Amino acid sequence: MKQFLWPTLFFFSIIIVSCGPNYVYEDKKELPDSGWAYEDTLQYQFSIEDTSKVYNQLLELNHRTDYGFQNLYVKVKTIFPSGKVSEQVLSLEIASKIGLWFGDCDDTNCILTIPIQNNIFFPEKGKYTFVLEQFMRKSPLEGIRSFELKIEDTGQQKK
């Protein structure tokens, strides 16, 4: 019986590990306890070598439960390897209209994964820079603890 136990455990551990997301990039940026000021831009740099792959771009937001708003406006800049810049303002919805937090929350903290772009491809090989700026009407903005950028390889090829 023992001779079958170890191979079985090994097989199931391989299955469990291989079923998770395949992140090709993950980087977490902490924000000061004093709040997120306009000047506190967050920069993430990652390289893309295969332009035929399809990716998901995710932001994991960590905020306190005493954060005072149901959303969070951010300005997002993507700087391509060629120097081209794409810029957009996003409203990240983090609570329902009746004030219930989205994500995984306890008494003081919430973690929410927000898909920024799904099923995208990067058209250029090389180093990309992703810049995140606070774009609310208040600075510093209290209650935001950190952002983690994740780039997930979907395992698909662009068509």
Side-chain angles (χ1 to χ4, degrees), residues 22 53-55 152-157:
N22 181 18
K53 290 186 176 184
V54 176
Y55 299 93
E152 178 186 18
D153 182 344
T154 65
Q156 300 173 7
Q157 300 286 320

Side-chain angles (χ1 to χ4, degrees), residues 25 29 36 38-46 57 59 74-80 85-90 116 128-134 147 149:
Y25 177 81
K29 306 287 185 185
W36 189 14
Y38 292 137
E39 308 81 54
D40 298 332
T41 60
L42 306 178
Q43 287 196 13
Y44 305 86
Q45 291 188 330
F46 56 95
Q57 192 174 33
L59 270 179
V74 293
K75 184 185 285 187
V76 176
K77 292 181 188 173
T78 304
I79 304 168
F80 292 74
V85 177
S86 171
E87 187 175 307
Q88 61 183 329
V89 174
L90 299 176
I116 299 299
Y128 285 78
T129 303
F130 184 83
V131 181
L132 196 61
E133 298 176 13
Q134 196 262 93
F147 279 100
L149 177 65

Side-chain angles (χ1 to χ4, degrees), residues 14-28:
I14 294 294
I15 288 175
I16 289 170
V17 170
S18 66
C19 292
N22 181 18
Y23 296 123
V24 297
Y25 177 81
E26 292 179 86
D27 188 14
K28 185 176 189 175

Side-chain angles (χ1 to χ4, degrees), residues 55-61 72 74 76-78 88-93 112-120 130-132 147-151:
Y55 299 93
N56 292 328
Q57 192 174 33
L58 311 163
L59 270 179
E60 186 173 281
L61 167 63
L72 171 62
V74 293
V76 176
K77 292 181 188 173
T78 304
Q88 61 183 329
V89 174
L90 299 176
S91 174
L92 306 178
E93 302 301 316
L112 174 63
T113 301
I114 303 165
I116 299 299
Q117 295 184 35
N118 284 330
N119 299 316
I120 62 165
F130 184 83
V131 181
L132 196 61
F147 279 100
E148 184 172 6
L149 177 65
K150 298 179 181 186
I151 307 294

Side-chain angles (χ1 to χ4, degrees), residues 47-51 55 124-127:
S47 291
I48 297 295
E49 297 307 318
D50 189 346
T51 59
Y55 299 93
E124 301 174 17
K125 285 185 182 183
K127 188 183 340 180

Side-chain angles (χ1 to χ4, degrees), residues 28-31 60-63 144-148:
K28 185 176 189 175
K29 306 287 185 185
E30 303 284 339
L31 293 162
E60 186 173 281
L61 167 63
N62 183 336
H63 68 88
I144 304 298
R145 292 188 164 153
S146 68
F147 279 100
E148 184 172 6

Side-chain angles (χ1 to χ4, degrees), residues 100-111:
L100 299 175
W101 296 118
F102 299 137
D104 185 20
C105 302
D106 60 26
D107 290 339
T108 60
N109 191 57
C110 289
I111 297 175

